[in-house]
Amino acid sequence: MVADGQRGRGGVSADYFTKKIDLDNRVAALLVGEHDIHLRTLESLLRCDITLRGNQLTLDGEAAEVERGEALVGELVALLGAGQTLDRSTLELAASLSAGRKDWARELGNIVGDVIIEHRGRRIRPKTVNQKAYVDAIRTHTITFGIGPAGTGKTYLAMAMATSALLSGEVNRIILTRPAVEAGEKLGFLPGGLMEKVDPYLRPLFDALYDMMDTDRLTEHLQRGTIEVAPLAYMRGRTLNDSLIVLDEAQNTSPEQMKMFLTRLGFGSRMIVTGDITQIDLPRGQRSGLVHVCEVLAGIDDIAFIYFGSQDVVRHKLVQEIVSAYKLHSDQRRLVRKPAAKLPAERPGDVREPPASTD
């Protein structure tokens, strides 16, 4: 149905269209979401008005955007028909892909349909293009680095891939580790022995495991040693065969610790290294092993580096804006930061880079 010359978001236009789509009652309910939350999200992502009366969806807007919206709704209906569920991240992914990619429908299906593990009805899968690239890299490379800000799913997806590999028999055990460096805290002041001191710091890894398997089964794996959660210091002197090893918070390793960890790799093993180079908690002046390894190992076959950005944040929408704001602030500071006061006199033709930020 076409209604020329009507007023919409873009004002009066000869290219203004109205499109009506009839939906199955059940599909219509799933598509709009509780309290029309999906409908409002779609409307914010598309430059057209969307309304639902009964089981008939109406799109009003510029012709090109209505056509895009019709295709988008069709793909979302197909996902629902295949048993997938919708959430904000899926809608944002679909809208983003449909805006600039020719084969976006197939790519959307590949991403949304890539279920890594399912537990108690909850499907863990990639939710962005970079997350899909990360998961695929883990499948096809011996060592994979996932580098990006908080909330991009790099640790959670690594844990899911490790758990899936263990449960499917791809590896005999998984080992999860972090360097014992706390953000602004001194572990030595905490009560108890080493494991008691670092247990709260390793707790996020346990929390992820509880999302992926039943408590009894996890306890059994921990007791048998097929799942090991330990501080990085416990890796020294070991050779880890037939394992999938995850190093989290790798930005807080020194170059020496990173080399030590990577050389623990044994036969039949794979490694996943995750970290955020914008949140380094090492003493000022000490270089991060994660920053260093990106320079040293870049270009080596069978080692993948996947970089995440604010567009990959899958937590509360505000987290995405916070990450973007901090990055902008850091970039602006780097541009205006002055060189140190006591520098050698520069000769004509010298090029000097501004000091790197240690924030």
Side-chain angles (χ1 to χ4, degrees):
M1 227 185 125
V2 181
D4 292 332
Q6 296 185 32
R7 183 175 297 277
R9 291 188 176 189
V12 176
S13 170
D15 293 327
Y16 186 78
F17 275 64
T18 295
K19 179 68 181 180
K20 297 184 183 296
I21 304 171
D22 292 323
L23 301 170
D24 175 85
N25 287 334
R26 174 184 165 277
V27 170
L30 294 174
L31 181 66
V32 301
E34 188 175 2
H35 305 304
D36 293 347
I37 182 65
H38 297 337
L39 206 61
R40 299 287 73 81
T41 300
L42 275 176
E43 198 171 38
S44 70
L45 295 170
L46 296 168
R47 293 188 299 276
C48 61
D49 298 310
I50 306 175
T51 56
L52 180 73
R53 286 188 174 86
N55 65 341
Q56 190 173 73
L57 192 74
T58 302
L59 290 81
D60 292 307
E62 298 293 329
E65 199 66 9
V66 168
E67 182 180 355
R68 175 185 166 217
E70 181 183 9
L72 183 57
V73 168
E75 290 305 319
L76 294 176
V77 168
L79 289 179
L80 291 170
Q84 301 290 344
T85 57
L86 300 182
D87 55 20
R88 184 178 182 90
S89 62
T90 303
L91 299 177
E92 289 177 343
L93 172 65
S96 174
L97 291 176
S98 68
R101 296 173 183 255
K102 291 183 179 179
D103 200 15
W104 68 270
R106 184 178 63 83
E107 189 171 5
L108 175 64
N110 289 340
I111 296 174
V112 176
D114 189 0
V115 178
I116 301 167
I117 193 169
E118 185 170 357
H119 180 58
R120 294 183 177 177
R122 181 183 182 189
R123 297 175 176 179
I124 300 173
R125 58 172 177 79
K127 296 185 176 182
T128 70
V129 173
N130 281 339
Q131 286 189 358
K132 172 63 173 171
Y134 179 52
V135 168
D136 287 342
I138 292 170
R139 292 185 175 123
T140 57
H141 292 77
T142 299
I143 301 176
T144 302
F145 290 84
I147 302 169
T152 51
K154 55 190 183 295
T155 300
Y156 199 76
L157 288 174
M159 299 288 288
M161 292 295 289
T163 303
S164 175
L166 177 65
L167 297 181
S168 66
E170 290 180 42
V171 296
N172 293 332
R173 61 177 172 170
I174 58 177
I175 299 170
L176 314 170
T177 185
R178 278 181 163 188
V181 177
E182 188 57 87
E185 303 288 341
K186 299 296 184 182
L187 291 171
F189 289 104
L190 298 175
L194 176 60
M195 287 308 297
E196 291 172 298
K197 291 176 187 290
V198 301
D199 182 69
Y201 190 55
L202 297 171
R203 183 54 51 185
L205 302 181
F206 283 106
D207 291 342
L209 286 172
Y210 282 117
D211 280 351
M212 299 170 193
M213 64 176 68
D214 292 329
T215 303
D216 292 344
R217 194 173 190 184
L218 174 57
T219 301
E220 180 183 349
H221 279 296
L222 290 169
Q223 291 174 344
R224 289 167 49 194
T226 48
I227 295 180
E228 179 181 346
V229 184
L232 182 59
Y234 280 33
M235 300 299 108
R236 190 175 296 278
R238 303 173 65 181
T239 300
L240 307 172
N241 296 316
D242 299 314
S243 305
L244 201 157
I245 310 107
V246 178
L247 170 60
D248 190 32
E249 297 288 336
Q251 75 275 7
N252 290 328
T253 62
S254 66
E256 294 77 17
Q257 286 175 317
M258 179 63 76
K259 179 183 177 182
M260 179 275 292
F261 171 75
L262 294 174
T263 53
R264 302 308 95 198
L265 181 69
F267 294 107
S269 291
R270 285 180 288 158
M271 287 180 163
I272 308 171
V273 180
T274 71
D276 177 3
I277 58 176
T278 69
Q279 294 190 26
I280 298 172
D281 300 317
L282 296 169
R284 186 171 292 274
Q286 182 173 344
R287 195 173 191 198
S288 165
L290 184 58
V291 174
H292 181 252
V293 79
C294 293
E295 303 169 2
V296 174
L297 300 185
I300 294 182
D301 289 340
D302 211 19
I303 298 179
F305 290 85
I306 305 296
Y307 295 89
F308 298 93
S310 59
Q311 73 276 8
D312 299 301
V313 173
V314 292
R315 292 180 184 171
H316 191 287
K317 189 176 185 300
L318 196 57
V319 175
Q320 190 175 78
E321 296 179 17
I322 290 171
V323 169
S324 297
Y326 268 97
K327 183 179 187 303
L328 177 62
H329 178 72
S330 178
D331 290 345
Q332 290 173 339
R333 285 188 62 193
R334 190 175 292 114
L335 287 173
V336 302
R337 182 166 291 176
K338 295 180 180 180
K342 297 182 179 180
L343 289 177
E346 295 185 17
R347 295 171 298 176
D350 282 350
V351 177
R352 188 178 299 281
E353 296 292 336
S357 171
T358 55
D359 293 342

